[in-house]
Amino acid sequence: MGQSAFGWLDDLTRLYTPTATEFDAARRHRGAIESRLDAYLGLREMFEIGSLRHGTGVWQYSDADFLASLKGIQPDSPWTMLNRVKETLQNRFTSTEVVIRRPAVVCRFSDGHVEVVPAYPDMSGFWIANPADGWMKTYPRDHNQYVTEINKRHSGGAKRLARQLKVWKYLRNVPVSSCYLEMRSAKHLDGESGYSPIWDLYLALNKMHEAGLASMNDPTGLGSRFGACSSESNRQDAMSKFGTAVSRAQKAKDFHSDGNDEKAIEQLKLLFNK
């Protein structure tokens, strides 16, 4: 008897799940980054955010992410903030490539990458650079709680689905925000009574494709809308890849429903470029 489609998808998900110590080397740079930012720009707090913290990181692709809440007056343009942070960190880590990748400043250390998302506090949230343009409001602790609650309700399904979508994004080079995929995954399962891996992979992809990768409202009702892509050209590229992905995920779902797991796995392999 051959492998089931569920089994193949589960193996893929485990393969791309980082180990507990995978990013310890990158995280060890945290103290030096905190000290530098505090000394030159003023730092209120810095804490870990992102997919590794949430349990949706992807092996070989995800970075260690931190939000750095800065002191002082918020400038008119987020580019001013990003350039200040980049210059400050580059002058400290002179042999390391430091680049801006909105909304973050990325330090590409030899033993791991660290993404620093500079921010200014406002009430219980933070203003960060919008990947598309201008400022956006984010509530990382509330967003994490939202995803975690739905994940518990579906016995880990929300985070597994988010990781699978991110694996697809990286293996197929889809220019779509990882945060967008994670929040869309949780929002999708928030409206479902149960979780079925093959079906929900198809449904989540199809919902985003049918919506045209439109920005989504913050499901917590707190922050700014979540954008999918950083430019219209990227959105068009992503839409084309989503269209192909929906077709393959639907075929995998249909073959699986008909009891033909061999054909279902063939479509999953095409979907994930495996």
Side-chain angles (χ1 to χ4, degrees):
M1 184 175 179
Q3 186 180 26
S4 70
F6 279 148
W8 188 91
L9 187 57
D10 204 39
D11 285 347
L12 180 80
T13 307
R14 281 198 299 270
L15 175 63
Y16 284 96
T17 299
T19 65
T21 60
E22 191 84 37
F23 297 90
D24 283 356
R27 287 175 173 137
R28 281 196 287 271
H29 295 285
R30 173 178 178 168
I33 292 172
E34 279 186 297
S35 297
R36 181 70 178 187
L37 292 178
D38 191 33
Y40 285 83
L41 299 178
L43 190 64
R44 295 177 184 273
E45 62 175 327
M46 193 167 100
F47 56 92
E48 192 167 6
I49 59 171
S51 58
L52 293 179
R53 178 69 174 175
H54 294 179
T56 59
V58 176
W59 173 63
Q60 291 187 326
Y61 291 96
S62 295
D63 301 329
D65 301 330
F66 297 93
L67 185 140
S69 176
L70 302 175
K71 294 179 180 179
I73 299 173
Q74 181 178 335
D76 292 335
S77 170
W79 281 109
T80 302
M81 170 187 68
L82 291 167
N83 285 322
R84 285 174 182 167
V85 171
K86 177 185 182 297
E87 182 181 358
T88 299
L89 294 179
Q90 186 67 83
N91 289 338
R92 168 62 177 83
F93 306 108
T94 54
S95 61
T96 297
E97 183 183 17
V98 180
V99 299
I100 293 174
R101 192 171 70 193
R102 291 168 66 105
V105 174
V106 184
C107 299
R108 294 174 174 164
F109 297 108
S110 60
D111 55 356
H113 293 179
V114 178
E115 291 199 10
V116 179
V117 179
Y120 285 91
D122 181 62
M123 303 295 287
S124 60
F126 300 90
W127 288 105
I128 65 172
N130 190 319
D133 186 40
W135 294 93
M136 66 178 288
K137 192 74 169 292
T138 185
Y139 294 78
R141 294 183 175 106
D142 296 276
H143 296 154
N144 186 28
Q145 182 180 357
Y146 171 78
V147 174
T148 298
E149 288 176 354
I150 297 171
N151 191 58
K152 289 179 180 177
R153 194 189 315 157
H154 290 283
S155 303
K159 293 187 178 184
R160 283 201 298 275
L161 177 59
R163 178 173 279 125
Q164 288 160 6
L165 290 171
K166 291 178 186 182
V167 170
W168 166 74
K169 161 194 165 161
Y170 290 123
L171 297 185
R172 281 296 181 185
N173 194 28
V174 186
V176 64
S177 162
S178 293
C179 180
Y180 182 84
L181 294 177
E182 183 165 327
M183 298 308 291
R184 282 288 190 188
S185 300
K187 181 64 175 176
H188 162 66
L189 284 180
D190 194 16
E192 299 293 319
S193 58
Y195 168 63
S196 178
I198 307 295
W199 272 83
D200 285 305
L201 179 60
Y202 159 70
L203 290 172
L205 285 166
N206 190 51
K207 282 182 179 179
M208 287 184 277
H209 185 248
E210 287 188 341
L213 293 178
S215 296
M216 67 175 291
N217 290 330
D218 183 343
T220 67
L222 294 171
S224 306
R225 288 165 63 82
F226 290 94
C229 304
S230 60
S231 67
E232 177 58 22
S233 61
N234 279 345
R235 191 191 70 84
Q236 292 179 7
D237 181 17
M239 278 294 291
S240 175
K241 291 173 179 177
F242 264 86
T244 302
V246 168
S247 176
R248 289 168 173 166
Q250 183 174 23
K251 289 176 183 177
K253 180 259 297 179
D254 290 343
F255 280 127
H256 173 68
S257 296
D258 292 339
N260 191 340
D261 273 7
E262 183 179 354
K263 289 290 186 181
I265 291 172
E266 287 180 6
Q267 292 300 316
L268 289 173
K269 287 180 177 179
L270 287 172
L271 173 64
F272 287 100
N273 197 25
K274 300 296 287 186

